[in-house]
Amino acid sequence: MRRKEFSIEEQQEIELFLAEMTFGFLGTLSEDGWPHITPLNFVYHEGDIYFHGSKIGDKMKQMKHDTRVTFSVAKEFALIPSYFTDPTYACPATAFFKSVLLKGTAHLVDDPSLKARVFTAFMQKLQPEGGYEPFNLEDPGYLRQINGVAMVRIQVESMSAKFKFGQNASESKRDQIVAGLSERQALYDEETIEMMKKYCPHHR
């Protein structure tokens, strides 16, 4: 069960995170009952998850066998060492992160116009600088490539999120963590401090 102080229920917050991230993990169930995880690029478009790939392979067989799937996305912001708050014991060591878990059903997308719109969304996300001709179904080259790959839509049925940034820590512990992050200055430490201020209502 997810601790309630870490739960993020605001849909807009979750959707902004999904729009930011480019990589997630698809969960399927094989015919022999073993769960299977596939890492892949995705786009969150008009309320659903889309991905594309080969028309054959394990994940396609598994989704044909059972359309129920999960999809998870996570971003680790900072490892919080124990000595930020405790000079002796290892127990306070933790990590601050954002994560989203979705459950839904997988459906093949056959409509070329929808595939073109989703591929456009993919390119806007993964290659925002441009450098390519827009998708055009009247272009035989594009039409051949669009028809040659499988696109899957995960129709989202439930969504939950956990954004952990010290919400359960005392004010003094959060101050110590902020001081440690400020001194360390690792890649996402400044952003982590901003997230702590945002999600810890008594820490500004």
Side-chain angles (χ1 to χ4, degrees):
M1 180 179 295
R2 295 191 169 194
R3 296 174 61 163
K4 64 180 181 180
E5 66 265 31
F6 299 144
S7 177
I8 299 296
E9 297 179 355
E10 293 81 357
Q11 186 72 15
Q12 185 177 13
E13 290 272 355
I14 297 173
E15 292 184 351
L16 286 172
F17 177 62
L18 292 174
E20 171 195 352
M21 302 302 291
T22 62
F23 204 76
F25 296 87
L26 172 71
T28 52
L29 193 64
S30 62
E31 292 186 50
D32 61 9
W34 282 96
H36 188 83
I37 300 295
T38 304
L40 45 77
N41 291 115
F42 77 98
V43 66
Y44 182 70
H45 180 68
E46 297 180 350
D48 290 322
I49 296 289
Y50 289 85
F51 63 90
H52 62 90
S54 172
K55 293 184 176 182
I56 59 175
D58 288 341
K59 66 178 180 291
M60 300 305 293
K61 292 179 182 177
Q62 290 156 3
M63 288 184 292
K64 184 177 181 180
H65 168 69
D66 191 334
T67 61
R68 295 173 300 170
V69 298
T70 60
F71 195 81
S72 61
V73 183
K75 177 180 178 179
E76 184 179 76
F77 281 74
L79 293 174
I80 308 300
S82 60
Y83 53 77
F84 274 8
T85 57
D86 192 318
T88 304
Y89 296 108
C91 300
T94 189
F96 288 174
F97 61 88
K98 292 183 178 182
S99 67
V100 174
L101 174 64
L102 306 100
K103 296 179 181 179
T105 52
H107 306 272
L108 278 175
V109 177
D110 295 319
D111 179 5
S113 62
L114 176 56
K115 291 175 79 172
R117 293 197 302 274
V118 174
F119 276 127
T120 297
F122 260 109
M123 293 303 293
Q124 290 172 343
K125 183 175 187 176
L126 301 178
Q127 192 174 309
E129 70 275 16
Y132 59 91
E133 290 295 323
F135 286 93
N136 181 359
L137 294 178
E138 296 182 0
D139 183 326
Y142 263 143
L143 184 60
R144 182 175 62 254
Q145 294 185 60
I146 288 173
N147 288 333
V149 299
M151 177 176 286
V152 177
R153 173 175 68 95
I154 300 177
Q155 183 177 349
V156 177
E157 297 181 3
S158 68
M159 184 185 303
S160 62
K162 180 177 178 179
F163 292 4
K164 179 182 177 182
F165 291 97
Q167 293 95 319
N168 63 327
S170 66
E171 184 74 14
S172 62
K173 296 294 186 184
R174 286 198 293 268
D175 287 341
Q176 289 175 295
I177 293 170
V178 168
L181 293 170
S182 298
E183 181 178 355
R184 185 175 66 181
Q185 287 294 300
L187 180 60
Y188 293 114
D189 284 354
E190 288 189 11
E191 188 175 358
T192 300
I193 293 171
E194 292 305 310
M195 293 296 104
M196 291 180 67
K197 293 177 180 178
K198 181 176 183 179
Y199 295 115
C200 301
H202 303 297
H203 188 78
R204 294 290 185 267

